[in-house]
């Protein structure tokens, strides 16, 4: 039937592309900066609760002048992204079909 064909043929054939898109979007979500910088005003009360780690890096390194703390934040972010990517690569063997 059509539903069986979709789940047994179409989904496995699209799994490599879907995995790549999910992986790049997770990395993109972890490194969001432009939305915070361009949309949020400095006087907005919600800015303190919606900061990303990249925005914190910008604030500490360039606004406050504390480049050491900013560099530490970036190293922690890179290590976390590497950990998430490694975990997703391990999960790829179980969920992605290349046959």
């Amino acid at each position: 039937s059509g539903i069986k064909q979709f789940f047994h043929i179409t989904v496995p054939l699209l799994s490599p592309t879907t995995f790549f898109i999910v992986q790049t979007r997770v990395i993109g979500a972890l490194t969001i900066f432009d939305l915070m910088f361009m949309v949020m005003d400095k006087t907005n009360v919600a800015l303190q609760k919606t900061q990303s780690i990249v925005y914190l890096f910008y604030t500490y390194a360039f606004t406050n002048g504390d480049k050491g703390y900013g560099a530490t934040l970036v190293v922690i972010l890179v290590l976390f992204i590497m950990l998430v990517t490694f975990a997703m690569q391990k999960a790829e063997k179980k969920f992605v079909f290349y046959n």
Side-chain angles (χ1 to χ4, degrees):
S1 69
I3 294 175
K4 187 176 180 181
Q5 178 184 357
F6 176 75
F7 285 108
H8 288 102
I9 296 174
T10 307
V11 170
L13 287 174
L14 288 176
S15 64
T17 305
T18 305
F19 176 77
F20 175 74
I21 291 170
V22 167
Q23 190 172 14
T24 55
R25 290 313 322 151
V26 166
I27 293 171
L30 289 172
T31 59
I32 190 168
F33 171 72
D34 54 352
L35 185 65
M36 304 285 172
F37 187 71
M38 300 297 280
V39 175
M40 300 290 275
D41 188 32
K42 305 285 187 253
T43 59
N44 194 338
V45 293
L47 183 62
Q48 296 298 321
K49 296 181 182 189
T50 59
Q51 290 182 0
S52 68
I53 195 163
V54 180
Y55 186 79
L56 282 175
F57 156 71
Y58 173 78
T59 303
Y60 281 108
F62 298 111
T63 305
N64 299 344
D66 191 3
K67 294 190 182 356
Y69 191 73
T72 305
L73 285 172
V74 170
V75 168
I76 290 171
L77 176 64
V78 167
L79 291 175
F80 184 71
I81 289 174
M82 287 174 59
L83 180 71
V84 169
T85 304
F86 181 73
M88 290 180 76
Q89 290 292 328
K90 289 295 182 185
E92 176 186 19
K93 295 176 184 168
K94 184 177 181 181
F95 297 110
V96 178
F97 307 102
Y98 289 108
N99 303 8

